[in-house]
Amino acid sequence: MNIQPSTNLLYEGKAKKLFATNDPEILWVEYKNSLTAFNGQLKDSLTGKGALTNQISCFLFDQMNKNDIPTHFVEQTGELTHIAKKVEIIPLEVVIRNLTTGSLCKRLGIKEKIRLPRPLLELYYKDDDLGDPFVSDEHALLFGWSNENDLSEVKRMALKINTILGELFDSIGIILVDFKLEFGKTSDGKLVLADEISPDTCRFWDKDTMEKLDKDRFRQDLGDVLGAYQEIFNRLQDAIK
């Protein structure tokens, strides 16, 4: 595809910049080296992090496309960049939990590292000012953040994604603990997976050592954040050799 970025910056978030292109339905996505946690309260920058995040996300989106999960991803264009279909994001974050950790333990007083008998799917309203609060299906429907058909399909897709990712990471010695997904709609109304899939949005633990290989290394001041992201990237590359 002969897609070229413009200088028209449409959006800049904590981790990415979105630029217009010569195709009105395609966006140019550029990853940043920034690290943020706790809704931006903790900030830092790490050279090389953006390239790893982009490349991991591109690889995993490609895997989703190959497994009949429609996504906004089109193709990788560089270490820091890829192109994606323009979508209207549904204002819900979908979280799938396979083991207990993080906010779930704090919120409910549950011990960490409990393997759940089945995946737990949670919804959060996308609003940084409110801290992305936990919401129910009824909230999503009553306040018009989604409709019944889309919400049902989002949940079906999220659970299928969990199966695909869980099997992939298990094959390279990594536990998929939990992860966040975002969905959107293209201009023709098609529901697709959007945003990113990376150590920024997933929790990954080594199966043998239980070492954390994700952004928790930054959140919890464990050090060697880049090394953890590089380990995820390296193992994914090994998976396709």
Side-chain angles (χ1 to χ4, degrees), residues 90-172:
I90 295 171
L92 295 170
E93 294 182 347
V94 182
V95 172
I96 298 284
R97 302 183 186 275
N98 297 306
L99 281 80
T100 60
T101 193
S103 64
L104 179 68
C105 295
K106 294 177 182 177
R107 192 169 72 239
L108 302 179
I110 295 170
K111 291 182 179 179
E112 191 179 46
K113 299 180 182 178
I114 298 173
R115 168 68 72 170
L116 298 171
R118 63 178 182 275
L120 173 63
L121 187 152
E122 297 179 329
L123 301 177
Y124 294 81
Y125 178 50
K126 274 181 58 64
D127 189 310
D128 285 346
D129 292 338
L130 298 176
D132 301 327
F134 174 76
V135 296
S136 68
D137 289 18
E138 284 296 284
H139 288 114
L141 297 173
L142 286 172
F143 294 113
W145 302 328
S146 186
N147 59 53
E148 288 189 12
N149 288 338
D150 286 347
L151 188 57
S152 176
E153 181 63 6
V154 159
K155 293 165 85 171
R156 185 197 68 80
M157 288 170 63
L159 291 170
K160 182 177 179 181
I161 292 165
N162 184 53
T163 298
I164 297 167
L165 289 179
E167 291 175 353
L168 171 62
F169 280 100
D170 183 69
S171 73
I172 54 175

